[in-house]
Amino acid sequence: MKKFLFLLFVLTSSLVASTINIAVAANVSYAIDDLIEEFNKQNPDTKVLVTLGSSGKLTAQIKNGAPYQLFMAANMKYPITLDNDGLSLTKPLIYAQGSLAILSSKKQDFSKGINIVSEENIEKIAIANPKTAPYGKAAVEALKNAKLYNSIEKKFVYAESISQTVSYAITAAELGFITKSSLYSDKMAKYKEGINWTDVDPKLYTPINQGIIILKNADGNKEVKAFYDFILSEKAKKIFKDFGYLVP
């Protein structure tokens, strides 16, 4: 019986050791499955547990002791904050640059670019909470630089994350400011550029540098380091490009 329990303990420990726990910004949700699939080709015994959310909320969870071992944020601000607080084993590095797009489930005249938000038929505009979601902050910045923010702020429908913003954009609002990466998922293929979506001029907002760090909980964990190295690899960069990101 003791031998059986010992073997069970060893087996269980082995299973735990082969699982890594990562926190991932919601905008990466569209690419993360492909990234993990590619990672597992070289690391088939590593199970990657993913928690998705806004970067602000994930950062708060990490500060409050959440057991994440790696953080892929939607900007550099939050990883830098965690590093300054002594919660990171690595300095924040850019793994991808995100882009903003405007989406509608209905046909729109996108020749007007961002100015479409001022049209009378546009009554609700989905936007991620700019206090916690970097893509929401970028959308506000773009609207302010285009001199449109004050006149259309009353139209905003706020979402908690960029993935929720995508949902609102095609259900509860006429338009939504979304991450361009979402448009590359299979379920979004029916939405066509120039008809259902358009890019937001990148000159209107600060580049969205997305940062990655290994957290203190991963001290000595080779599998977490392997995943970290993979995210910064050429194979991962190709996947990010396929999902509409720019890569450094």
Side-chain angles (χ1 to χ4, degrees):
M1 182 66 178
K2 288 183 178 180
K3 185 176 180 180
F4 171 78
L5 290 173
F6 174 76
L7 290 173
L8 182 62
F9 172 78
V10 171
L11 177 60
T12 303
S13 299
S14 176
L15 289 172
V16 171
S18 65
T19 300
I20 63 175
N21 192 352
I22 68 174
V24 178
N27 77 85
V28 188
S29 64
Y30 309 98
I32 194 65
D33 288 344
D34 285 28
L35 289 165
I36 293 173
E37 181 180 355
E38 184 64 32
F39 170 73
N40 282 148
K41 289 180 180 178
Q42 298 299 319
N43 302 272
D45 297 326
T46 303
K47 182 178 180 180
V48 183
L49 295 181
V50 178
T51 299
L52 297 165
S54 69
S55 292
K57 287 199 169 185
L58 291 171
T59 297
Q61 290 172 12
I62 292 166
K63 288 185 175 183
N64 286 313
Y68 307 131
Q69 297 167 303
L70 180 144
F71 183 27
M72 296 173 64
N75 67 1
M76 291 293 282
K77 170 188 172 182
Y78 294 110
I80 289 172
T81 296
L82 293 170
D83 184 45
N84 289 340
D85 288 347
L87 297 174
S88 172
L89 294 175
T90 58
K91 292 295 180 183
L93 294 179
I94 299 169
Y95 64 90
Q97 287 185 321
S99 301
L100 272 178
I102 306 174
L103 171 69
S104 176
S105 61
K106 299 178 182 179
K107 183 178 180 181
Q108 302 286 353
D109 181 9
F110 282 113
S111 65
K112 300 173 182 178
I114 197 171
N115 290 293
I116 193 174
V117 298
S118 297
E119 294 295 294
E120 290 186 5
N121 67 309
I122 305 300
E123 297 180 355
K124 294 180 180 180
I125 300 170
I127 184 172
N129 184 348
K131 294 181 179 179
T132 58
Y135 279 79
K137 182 179 179 181
V140 168
E141 182 184 7
L143 288 165
K144 286 183 176 179
N145 286 332
K147 312 299 182 187
L148 296 165
Y149 181 82
N150 291 335
S151 62
I152 59 97
E153 183 184 5
K154 60 183 180 294
K155 297 182 179 182
F156 289 163
V157 177
Y158 292 100
E160 286 303 313
S161 66
I162 197 65
S163 55
Q164 190 177 68
T165 309
V166 173
S167 177
Y168 284 2
I170 57 180
T171 57
E174 284 76 35
L175 294 175
F177 282 83
I178 66 163
T179 170
K180 188 176 179 180
S181 61
S182 67
L183 296 164
Y184 291 80
S185 65
D186 292 340
K187 66 180 181 180
M188 300 292 284
K190 62 183 178 181
Y191 299 116
K192 305 302 181 184
E193 184 175 7
I195 298 175
N196 302 111
W197 67 271
T198 190
D199 288 294
V200 176
D201 185 349
K203 295 178 181 178
L204 290 174
Y205 59 95
T206 304
I208 305 172
N209 293 326
Q210 304 202 179
I212 184 172
I213 52 174
I214 297 177
L215 297 164
K216 284 284 189 179
N217 288 333
D219 192 11
N221 191 310
K222 294 181 179 179
E223 291 166 312
V224 173
K225 180 61 164 58
F227 188 80
Y228 172 84
D229 290 341
F230 166 74
I231 292 298
L232 297 174
S233 72
E234 292 301 318
K235 288 183 178 179
K237 286 181 179 180
K238 181 181 183 304
I239 293 172
F240 281 119
K241 287 179 180 178
D242 289 344
F243 277 86
Y245 290 93
L246 301 174
V247 293

